[in-house]
Amino acid sequence: MPREHRILVTGASGFVGSWLLREFQSWRLKHGLPLSVLTAGQSDVSGWKTEITDRKQVVSLIRDCRPTAIVHLAAIAAPGDARKLPQRAWDVNFQGTMNLAYAAMEFAPEARFIFAGSSEAYGASFLDAAGEPIKEDVALKPMGVYGATKAAADVLVGQLAYDGLKAIRFRPFNHTGPGQAVDYVVPAFARQLAEIVTDKTPPRISVGNLSAFRDFLDVRDVVRAYADAALGDGACDAFGKVFNLSSGRSVQIQSILNMLIELSGADVEIEVDPKRLRGPEIAIATGDNKAAFDAFGWKPEIDLRQTLSDVLQDWKIRIAC
């Protein structure tokens, strides 16, 4: 009789969480094996309503649902939100992770703990890399509130692995896809272009810094790695380790915009909005993904152009509705 998987997903109602739930549903249909997906969030209606910063609530959550794996996505994920609300970002991103990890060790000690970190934790190490793909063993030198909170939580989870937490840490690079909020660059461009091609606004698009180079992934590739870590037989060898999720190449933001404009068929005027400029930025950020491939056989499968097309189409549908 196959062992039933009971996967707890925090932050399941968010952008990445919603795609992860779809990935688990696909896995269930493909394999035909017992799989229960449990969700927890501040306003969750289908699972446990849990404030992750409340230690007692988190303890009750883990004690009651006894997961075989936990995928921890809950976070103040937009860097802009973290800058505006630093205390809340530290409470959720660091203290919330601490609450969950310690509760898992006490009440679900055999559960895999999949931590969704961030490439933002590398920060100034990208400057030292001079454009070369970063490996997991470089120093964490976060340059912003969000990166600092994720770096601290990353270090905490890594330390607890020595105490017995069955932790697998990921550091995903920029990822996008249909459903992402306009706090991020790709949906910010796509929404404006969708409004232009549907005659909702004049043919003018507002942008920030277009010169930076970033490593972009499709969210569907990212959640595939999380699901593999939670369910895969070979993941035991990954306990205590950390893995970049990246394409291994950088793309200039200007190129992202150009591709979206081409896909939209629009003739637009581009204007720089000072409010969209974030101050000093890292020129080039990209990651080495060899460790994830060696451990899970993971590599990106969805072409960037396809991702951008899907995001643009999603915004056209949303605006039409």
Side-chain angles (χ1 to χ4, degrees):
M1 181 72 179
R3 179 175 68 93
E4 181 184 8
H5 294 282
R6 289 172 58 82
I7 314 296
L8 173 65
V9 180
T10 70
S13 61
F15 165 60
V16 178
S18 64
W19 280 107
L20 180 60
L21 296 186
R22 295 178 204 181
E23 180 68 21
F24 281 135
Q25 176 64 17
S26 296
W27 188 94
R28 183 191 290 117
L29 294 173
K30 179 179 178 180
H31 295 278
L33 296 174
L35 170 63
S36 299
V37 179
L38 318 168
T39 61
Q42 198 171 3
S43 58
D44 204 294
V45 293
S46 61
W48 278 262
K49 184 176 180 180
T50 305
E51 170 52 65
I52 200 167
T53 62
D54 187 311
R55 185 181 63 83
K56 291 183 178 179
Q57 288 188 32
V58 173
V59 165
S60 296
L61 167 69
I62 301 300
R63 187 176 54 214
D64 291 348
C65 71
R66 301 280 181 174
T68 59
I70 299 164
V71 184
H72 179 38
L73 303 176
I76 303 299
D81 291 343
R83 284 196 303 273
K84 294 173 188 174
L85 299 169
Q87 185 61 61
R88 179 63 177 165
W90 277 101
D91 288 346
V92 172
N93 297 359
F94 178 72
Q95 188 63 50
T97 301
M98 178 182 285
N99 292 342
L100 193 65
Y102 272 100
M105 290 175 67
E106 184 173 359
F107 296 102
E110 297 305 311
R112 299 178 183 187
F113 191 93
I114 315 303
F115 173 69
S118 172
S119 63
E120 290 277 333
Y122 290 125
S125 281
F126 287 119
L127 302 176
D128 303 333
E132 291 298 311
I134 287 266
K135 293 186 177 182
E136 292 85 352
D137 59 356
V138 305
L140 301 183
K141 299 180 181 180
M143 296 171 65
V145 175
Y146 172 70
T149 61
K150 297 300 279 188
D154 191 314
V155 171
L156 168 71
V157 172
Q159 177 266 308
L160 289 179
Y162 289 102
D163 288 341
L165 183 68
K166 297 186 183 303
I168 301 173
R169 290 170 289 157
F170 288 105
R171 293 175 188 156
F173 282 64
N174 298 59
H175 44 292
T176 189
Q180 190 175 33
V182 292
D183 304 282
Y184 302 89
V185 64
V186 170
F189 291 163
R191 185 178 76 168
Q192 292 181 78
L193 287 167
E195 290 172 341
I196 290 168
V197 298
T198 55
D199 297 323
K200 302 288 185 182
T201 60
R204 184 170 55 252
I205 185 167
S206 179
V207 304
N209 178 22
L210 298 177
S211 64
F213 286 77
R214 294 293 181 265
D215 193 321
F216 280 90
L217 296 169
D218 192 294
V219 66
R220 291 163 286 194
D221 280 330
V222 172
V223 299
R224 182 165 46 83
Y226 297 160
D228 286 348
L231 298 167
D233 294 334
C236 296
D237 294 336
F239 292 160
K241 298 177 183 177
V242 61
F243 304 94
N244 287 334
L245 296 178
S246 61
S247 72
R249 64 186 182 91
S250 59
V251 180
Q252 192 173 37
I253 304 300
Q254 177 73 65
S255 296
I256 297 285
L257 177 60
N258 292 345
M259 201 177 302
L260 280 166
I261 291 173
E262 179 191 343
L263 288 166
S264 73
D267 183 11
V268 301
E269 175 187 344
I270 300 171
E271 64 176 14
V272 176
D273 180 359
K275 295 179 181 178
R276 294 178 182 266
L277 298 175
R278 297 171 57 182
E281 286 195 65
I282 293 162
I284 304 175
T286 185
D288 186 303
N289 61 21
K290 184 177 184 300
F293 179 79
D294 290 345
F296 305 103
W298 179 91
K299 61 181 180 180
E301 294 180 351
I302 301 174
D303 182 73
L304 177 60
R305 186 179 182 86
Q306 182 62 56
T307 302
L308 298 181
S309 177
D310 291 348
V311 173
L312 181 61
Q313 185 61 29
D314 177 60
W315 274 108
K316 288 180 181 178
I317 292 170
R318 287 205 235 179
I319 289 170
C321 295

